[in-house]
Amino acid sequence: MVGNPPELERGTGVPAHVQIERWLLDSIAGGDMAPGDRLPGERELAGRLGVSRMTLRQALATLERDGVLVRVPGRTGGAFVAEPRIERDLTGLAGFTEQVRRAHLRAEARILTAATVPAPAAVAAALRVEPGSPVHEVARVRSAGRSPLALERSFFPALPGFLAQDLTGSLYALLADGYGLAPRTALEHLDPVIAGPAEAAELGIEPGAPLMRVERTAYAADGAPVEHARDLFRPDRVRISVRSGVT
C-alpha cells in the first residue's frame, strides 16, 4: 500500500506534480507498492497531499504515459501500479526465456499449436525448403508475472523428434542441445501492427490495441536457417531495444 505522502515543498522551483511523481516512483522502487496495487481514490489522495485534483491528475497522467501506472475507468477502477516492462534486446540472440530470466522473472509458455504442417511460401523461402514441405510449427503465449507478454509463432525444419520434446522452455536451447543447431545470427524486421480479435483474446487486450511485430529468421553457425518466426509483443509490457556503435 502507498505510504504516508510527503510534505510538498513550496517555492523550490520543482512543480508539485513532479514531486508527486517522484514520491510515487520512489514508493514503487522501495517496495511500498507492488504491481497490481491500487492507489487511493483521487479525492482522498489529493486531500492527503494538499493539492488540487487537477495537479494530482497531471502527475498520474505522466506516470500512465511512462507505463508506471494503469488507469482503469469505472466505479471499480482507479490507478493501479503496472507490471514492469521486460527489456527485449535484439542486439544479441538471447531468446525470450533468457531475457526474462535476466530480469529476475520466471518465463512461462502456454502452447497453442505444436504440429508438422506444409510450409507456406514465405516460410519455405526463409527456411530454404520447397513450398509445401513439412516443417514444424510451434505457437506459444509467453508470460512473466500476471499477464501475457507476447504471442510467438515459429517454424522450424522437420527435425526428428522435435515436437516430442518439452516445448515450454527455451526452443533455442533445444535446438542447441538436442540437434547441434544453436542459432548464431538472425535477420529481424520490426513493424507496428494492430491486434486482431484472435491475438487480442490470447494476449488479454482489446482488439485494435497496438502491438509490435518482430519477424525473424535465425541461422546456425554454418549459415543454415533454423527458425522463421513472427512474434507479437505488447508494447505496454515489453520494451524492444537495439544497441549500436560507430564502425
Side-chain angles (χ1 to χ4, degrees):
M1 295 295 293
V2 63
N4 292 326
E7 185 74 28
L8 299 182
E9 300 180 358
R10 313 293 179 177
T12 63
V14 180
H17 69 88
V18 174
Q19 295 183 52
I20 296 170
E21 294 163 23
R22 292 174 178 173
W23 166 60
L24 289 172
L25 288 170
D26 289 344
S27 296
I28 295 170
D32 294 329
M33 290 187 291
D37 283 353
R38 184 182 185 275
L39 271 65
E42 286 186 2
R43 185 185 303 278
E44 176 188 347
L45 190 54
R48 290 167 60 182
L49 287 163
V51 298
S52 68
R53 295 176 70 179
M54 182 176 297
T55 297
L56 175 62
R57 286 172 180 167
Q58 189 175 0
L60 298 182
T62 299
L63 295 176
E64 180 184 25
R65 182 199 64 202
D66 293 342
V68 177
L69 298 178
V70 176
R71 300 170 77 185
V72 178
R75 177 176 294 181
T76 60
F80 297 83
V81 178
E83 295 279 355
R85 287 202 292 177
I86 302 297
E87 191 82 13
R88 181 68 168 93
D89 187 358
L90 299 184
T91 306
L93 202 54
F96 180 91
T97 301
E98 175 60 26
Q99 299 219 6
V100 170
R101 185 180 296 118
R102 291 175 184 176
H104 308 291
L105 296 172
R106 181 173 179 269
E108 299 176 352
R110 178 166 58 88
I111 298 174
L112 302 177
T113 302
T116 302
V117 300
V123 173
L127 295 180
R128 301 177 192 162
V129 299
E130 291 295 321
S133 299
V135 294
H136 297 320
E137 178 185 6
V138 178
R140 308 185 297 176
V141 175
R142 306 306 307 273
S143 302
R146 304 181 186 182
S147 59
L149 305 180
L151 176 60
E152 298 179 340
R153 187 173 301 277
S154 297
F155 295 86
F156 302 92
L159 301 167
F162 185 83
L163 297 181
Q165 305 298 317
D166 180 7
L167 302 177
T168 61
S170 170
L171 299 182
Y172 280 9
L174 176 58
L175 288 172
D177 299 338
Y179 301 91
L181 295 174
R184 297 298 185 191
T185 60
L187 176 63
E188 300 184 274
H189 299 278
L190 281 69
D191 295 287
V193 297
I194 298 299
E199 295 90 354
E202 296 295 351
L203 291 173
I205 56 178
E206 293 294 325
L211 295 171
M212 179 60 69
R213 181 176 65 196
V214 177
E215 184 168 342
R216 174 182 63 260
T217 302
Y219 303 88
D222 63 357
V226 294
E227 179 205 29
H228 181 67
R230 302 185 186 99
D231 299 339
L232 295 173
F233 292 95
R234 287 178 50 173
D236 62 324
R237 295 296 319 281
V238 179
R239 182 171 64 177
I240 295 176
S241 63
V242 179
R243 286 171 288 171
S244 59
V246 177
T247 59

